[in-house]
Amino acid sequence: MKAALIATEFDVAGRLVRVLSNTGGNVNDTYIAIFRTTFSEERFVLQRLNRHVFSSPEKVIQNMKVVTEHVHNKLEAEQHMSDRIWQLPRVIPTKTGADFIQDSSGDYWRAISLIASATAYEQIQNLEHAHEAGFVLGQFQRLISDIPTDALSDTLPGFHITPGYISKMDKILEAQLAQERLKTSVDAEHCYRFISKRRDWASILEDACHRGELCIRPIHGDPKVANIMIDDETGKGTCIIDLDTVKPGLVHYDFGDCLRSCCNPVGEETQDLTRVIFDTDLCEAIVRGYMTYARSFFSDADLHYLYDSIRLLTFELGVRFFADYLAGNVYFKVKSDEQNLNRALVQFKLCESIETRESAIRRILDRFSA
Ligand code: GN1
Ligand code: MG
């Protein structure tokens, strides 16, 4: 159904001027809706949730409500102690008081308030930006740390369980298309070998969790650089967006994912693999920012697995992109058939760079763990 028709169903004053399509995001379809009254303008984010990825979109929206209401209350109570204005979007209700619209084809749409005068960059801009990215993640994890995990639904079972993604890839490889893709491309063969060599290590976080060394807590799930908003006025982090994957998990998934995303200065979509590196100066700045809040809720065991979480989340995203390429691009949105293969190559190059710099990264982590 057309986004413009859906936009008018939400409880926003004024008349619809325009709905702009937003190309960011690998999963959902996102638009910006603009409404005007005779004296003001309001913009909000309108999204159609990907039903192939999220089988219960209403639970995703419910989780978002639990988290935003919890965080808004906490931020308001702490406002007088803060050096900045923290923000988090809210779910905008429909005119009939519901949290989403289901259209005639069964798709779920939701409206979220727009964080104004702030930018979510696709790539890290400088060391200060890196510090702020870490700071925002640590603050967010602190803010949600006291939400009981049973108040949040598991909206994506298996999300960030690396061995599960490898099993999925093995299953995909039983199909003819996947076999053809693997056999006809040197790059695909390289990816497959890269994964095979790391199979035994891939369960490191899950094993630690099963042994009771690591515990399940509320997490963001997708703290990549493009989901962290920087205040245009002050240059400070102000908000973390994209709350689709907030659910119970290991804080290591967040930490590792944030570093894999923020320490690769050329970003996930680069075509130039020679420029993909894990920048340890950026890493230092992020860890410094992150530990400001996170150090207080980390146990020794938590600290012990930080290096592996960076390596693992990078590896895992490579596996996810590669498996999707083999499957014929059914999960991540693509503009070309080989895009997911290229994305996998980028993550594996980054993973290699992390492995090469292991001792330097461990030194940084040790310094901020003391
Ligand atoms: C997806 O849709 P988007 O861009 O927010 C993916 C993340 C990946 C990310 C990589 C639900 O996020 O896990 O890290 O792409 N989200 C889901 O860019 O799978
Ligand atoms: Mg996301």
Side-chain angles (χ1 to χ4, degrees):
M1 214 164 154
K2 292 256 320 248
L5 272 176
I6 301 285
T8 56
E9 306 240 359
F10 289 92
D11 191 14
V12 175
R15 277 176 55 190
L16 179 67
V17 180
R18 207 176 221 249
V19 173
L20 310 167
S21 177
N22 181 310
T23 51
N26 293 333
V27 169
N28 295 325
D29 295 322
T30 304
Y31 304 85
I32 303 292
I34 308 171
F35 280 73
R36 277 189 203 140
T37 67
T38 46
F39 50 83
S40 70
E41 174 172 304
E42 187 170 343
R43 292 174 178 235
F44 67 85
V45 177
L46 179 67
Q47 284 186 311
R48 175 173 41 213
L49 286 148
N50 184 327
R51 271 195 294 158
H52 180 74
V53 171
F54 298 108
S55 56
S56 309
E58 68 285 358
K59 287 190 187 155
V60 176
I61 299 165
Q62 180 55 28
N63 276 0
M64 185 167 175
K65 282 200 74 179
V66 169
V67 170
T68 51
E69 280 165 19
H70 178 89
V71 173
H72 288 152
N73 288 337
K74 226 161 148 172
L75 287 177
E76 270 159 38
E78 294 177 357
Q79 217 169 31
H80 63 287
M81 300 189 293
S82 182
D83 67 335
R84 68 185 74 190
I85 300 168
W86 287 102
Q87 294 181 283
L88 197 68
R90 75 176 178 104
V91 177
I92 299 172
T94 68
K95 284 178 176 149
T96 59
D99 295 322
F100 55 86
I101 302 267
Q102 195 171 14
D103 70 17
S104 49
S105 46
D107 279 328
Y108 286 71
W109 295 77
R110 64 164 177 218
I112 304 167
S113 61
L114 184 81
I115 303 292
S117 326
T119 305
Y121 297 91
E122 286 296 324
Q123 281 141 41
I124 282 286
Q125 307 294 300
N126 50 44
L127 288 173
E128 190 193 347
H129 182 195
H131 172 271
E132 290 304 303
F135 192 71
V136 168
L137 178 61
Q139 160 75 323
F140 183 74
Q141 286 185 341
R142 181 187 74 80
L143 288 165
I144 62 172
S145 61
D146 54 343
I147 299 177
T149 48
D150 59 9
L152 297 169
S153 306
D154 188 353
T155 45
L156 269 179
F159 193 55
H160 290 318
I161 312 286
T162 310
Y165 291 114
I166 297 181
S167 308
K168 222 183 232 171
M169 179 194 73
D170 290 339
K171 189 101 193 65
I172 288 167
L173 274 168
E174 288 169 14
Q176 202 187 337
L177 170 74
Q179 280 299 330
E180 273 164 22
R181 290 194 162 204
L182 181 59
K183 285 192 192 121
T184 52
S185 155
V186 183
D187 286 338
E189 276 182 359
H190 163 73
C191 289
Y192 186 73
R193 274 198 309 275
F194 191 92
I195 296 167
S196 299
K197 281 188 194 147
R198 290 159 183 81
R199 272 179 191 261
D200 292 344
W201 155 81
S203 61
I204 183 159
L205 289 184
E206 299 319 307
D207 293 346
C209 189
H210 290 139
R211 285 194 301 269
E213 291 174 45
L214 302 177
C215 61
I216 301 291
R217 297 184 253 208
I219 63 160
H220 180 276
D222 189 11
K224 60 181 184 178
V225 56
N227 285 339
I228 292 170
M229 299 201 75
I230 304 296
D231 188 323
D232 293 337
E233 300 303 319
T234 63
K236 289 190 184 298
T238 180
C239 178
I240 188 161
I241 53 171
D242 184 0
L243 304 176
D244 289 341
T245 48
V246 174
K247 64 188 204 82
L250 297 175
V251 285
H252 294 73
Y253 303 154
D254 277 354
F255 179 79
D257 198 51
C258 183
L259 277 112
R260 71 128 201 104
S261 165
C262 296
C263 296
N264 166 16
V266 291
E268 284 173 26
E269 301 288 350
T270 185
Q271 301 288 320
D272 185 356
L273 289 179
T274 62
R275 293 177 62 215
V276 177
I277 54 141
F278 185 86
D279 184 319
T280 47
D281 291 337
L282 294 174
C283 171
E284 206 247 29
I286 296 163
V287 176
R288 187 158 41 85
Y290 178 71
M291 286 299 178
T292 314
Y293 285 118
R295 182 66 192 87
S296 65
F297 54 79
F298 268 11
S299 66
D300 287 348
D302 285 332
L303 296 169
H304 179 76
Y305 288 101
L306 289 182
Y307 167 76
D308 282 299
S309 76
I310 304 172
R311 183 182 170 209
L312 189 69
L313 269 286
T314 308
F315 172 73
E316 176 189 279
L317 186 59
V319 175
R320 294 173 64 198
F321 284 143
F322 180 57
D324 199 33
Y325 168 72
L326 293 177
N329 308 314
V330 294
Y331 184 101
F332 296 105
K333 290 195 273 181
V334 286
K335 293 195 189 76
S336 73
D337 191 41
E338 304 243 304
Q339 190 172 358
N340 275 321
L341 178 60
N342 186 66
R343 287 167 170 163
L345 290 167
V346 170
Q347 293 306 312
F348 292 148
K349 183 76 200 304
L350 187 62
C351 184
E352 256 173 4
S353 176
I354 292 166
E355 291 165 355
T356 313
R357 289 163 174 75
E358 174 172 352
S359 41
I361 298 170
R362 285 194 186 275
R363 270 198 303 277
I364 294 167
L365 295 169
D366 287 347
R367 193 144 27 96
F368 291 101
S369 301

